[in-house]
Amino acid sequence: MQRFELTCLNRTQLTPDLFSLEFESNAPVSFAAGQALMLKVPTSQGEAMRCYSPSCAADNGSRLSLTIKAIEGGLVSNWLRSELAIGQTLEAQGPFGDFMLSEPPGAKVLLLSAGSGIAPIHSIYQTLINKYPMVDIVLCHSARRAAERPFIEELEQACEEGLLTLYWALSQEAPRFHHWIEGRIDAPKLHQRIPDLLTRQIYLCGPDGYLDDLRSGLLASGVHPDAIFLESFTPQQAPKLFAEQSETAFEITLSPQGIKLPMVAGQTVLEAMEAAEYPIMAACRSGVCGSCKISRSQGEIEQSSTSTLTESELAEGALLACSCRVKSDLKIEI
């Protein structure tokens, strides 16, 4: 994992709630297209760590662009949009995440995004045209209205030049051009416009409802599961297990140090470790980025998200500290 410093060069507002920050790094930044980086942000309420996806090509050297959604009431995203000064430097590290462009990619690729999911999808697109110009690319971004389309000029120009086939799916606005799709995108609408859909490698990124509906529809239409790569910006499982919280308190033992931490009823493992001022990396705090992954050797747990963990990691006791609560005393390998 790399650690580096990013100096802000520019801020660009893409849509009413999406903006891009351009940085110069003190060293070349290595990441795979689709992955995320973690920023340390000095907000008005103290330092905070958050993961954001580069929206530039993976081979961009020391120049880096991050595309971020300003969330209503969001401490970090709104600080970055309004308070980060041009010339100011932030600490960063990474990369994180298993969502990335398969290399070499398939001969035909379909890129699907919604909202801030455009960030890693745009990085994959940029990497493809830079490194694999012969790949046949179709990109479809979903938004509510035309004014919420990011990277409009760039993508429209690329479409005109034949670098990709472009579609905008607008859920709250009637189509005005042939490459606009009315309503929520689904597998039948994709099949109608992309006859060779079943032969394409498909990358999806966006909120859970969007991902769940599309993946289910694509699988039902005959797309092979191995052809689908997806990334969620919200936990893939609703935290139903956390609805009922036990009044019992447990103890977490950190091995091999033997340090013991109290676990107050209702806390996540991350909250318990932070309350005891034990250092642990955490960025998204919602089971998405995987930066707080640790290993359990003993104890029963319940998890609201396992979205970044592989089956083999789960079998070996891996857990996400931000999305895990305990049902017994717990032993963690550090």
Side-chain angles (χ1 to χ4, degrees):
M1 182 178 63
Q2 300 171 281
R3 297 178 185 271
F4 40 88
E5 295 182 347
L6 299 177
T7 301
C8 184
L9 302 179
N10 192 29
R11 180 188 294 104
T12 304
Q13 196 71 35
L14 300 176
T15 72
D17 61 359
L18 278 179
F19 63 97
S20 284
L21 297 173
E22 183 180 356
F23 293 97
E24 177 77 32
S25 173
N26 64 337
V29 182
S30 177
F31 64 94
Q35 288 187 300
L37 303 175
M38 184 162 62
L39 299 183
K40 181 185 288 187
V41 182
T43 73
S44 59
Q45 298 182 28
E47 289 187 344
M49 312 273 286
R50 293 292 187 275
C51 275
Y52 296 108
S53 295
S55 51
C56 56
D59 54 355
N60 221 34
S62 60
R63 285 292 180 101
L64 185 74
S65 294
L66 302 179
T67 295
I68 300 166
K69 180 177 181 178
I71 301 170
E72 184 176 356
L75 174 66
V76 177
S77 62
N78 285 289
W79 187 92
L80 290 170
R81 181 172 65 170
S82 304
E83 302 298 330
L84 177 65
I86 304 302
Q88 187 170 356
T89 297
L90 300 178
E91 294 181 37
Q93 55 186 291
F96 298 99
D98 298 322
F99 179 67
M100 63 187 76
L101 175 65
S102 174
E103 297 203 43
K108 297 180 179 181
V109 169
L110 171 60
L111 307 177
L112 299 168
S113 60
S116 55
I118 188 62
I121 291 298
H122 191 263
S123 176
I124 290 173
Y125 159 71
Q126 287 279 342
T127 302
L128 285 171
I129 63 172
N130 285 355
K131 194 172 180 180
Y132 303 102
M134 298 307 293
V135 171
D136 181 326
I137 306 171
V138 178
L139 189 154
C140 178
H141 180 74
S142 294
R144 291 171 298 180
R145 293 173 288 272
E148 298 173 2
R149 294 172 297 155
F151 303 110
I152 299 175
E153 293 184 6
E154 174 200 346
L155 294 177
E156 293 280 0
Q157 182 65 33
C159 184
E160 290 180 12
E161 295 175 358
L163 297 177
L164 82 162
T165 300
L166 176 66
Y167 294 105
W168 303 105
L170 305 178
S171 61
Q172 298 180 16
E173 189 167 328
R176 284 183 259 161
F177 302 100
H178 74 279
H179 62 292
W180 290 25
I181 300 173
E182 185 173 11
R184 289 172 63 95
I185 195 66
D186 56 25
K189 290 177 182 177
L190 290 171
H191 260 296
Q192 181 182 359
R193 291 162 178 82
I194 311 169
D196 58 1
L197 178 65
L198 300 186
T199 69
R200 290 184 177 269
Q201 201 174 58
I202 303 174
Y203 295 85
L204 303 89
C205 190
D208 280 348
Y210 166 87
L211 291 181
D212 293 342
D213 292 347
L214 266 181
R215 185 176 187 275
S216 297
L218 290 169
L219 292 175
S221 67
V223 175
H224 195 281
D226 292 344
I228 300 176
F229 304 84
L230 58 82
E231 171 81 324
S232 170
F233 282 164
T234 51
Q236 292 188 357
Q237 302 175 21
K240 296 178 182 178
L241 291 172
F242 295 171
E244 298 180 3
Q245 298 177 2
S246 169
E247 294 301 322
T248 305
F250 299 107
E251 190 173 66
I252 301 174
T253 301
L254 307 181
S255 179
Q257 300 96 324
I259 299 172
K260 296 185 183 297
L261 309 178
M263 182 82 178
V264 178
Q267 280 184 317
T268 64
V269 172
L270 173 62
E271 290 168 343
M273 295 179 73
E274 289 181 333
E277 298 186 350
Y278 191 90
I280 178 173
M281 185 182 301
C284 73
R285 313 182 74 85
S286 60
V288 176
C289 73
S291 63
C292 64
K293 180 170 63 178
I294 53 179
S295 181
R296 159 182 58 111
S297 59
Q298 292 179 19
E300 296 182 51
I301 61 170
E302 53 185 16
Q303 301 190 71
S304 64
S305 176
T306 59
S307 61
T308 63
L309 303 177
T310 65
E311 290 186 7
S312 60
E313 287 175 328
L314 287 169
E316 293 171 358
L319 58 88
L320 300 177
C322 71
S323 305
C324 176
R325 291 179 181 161
V326 302
K327 301 173 69 175
S328 69
D329 288 343
L330 188 67
K331 187 175 182 180
I332 293 173
E333 302 294 332
I334 300 295

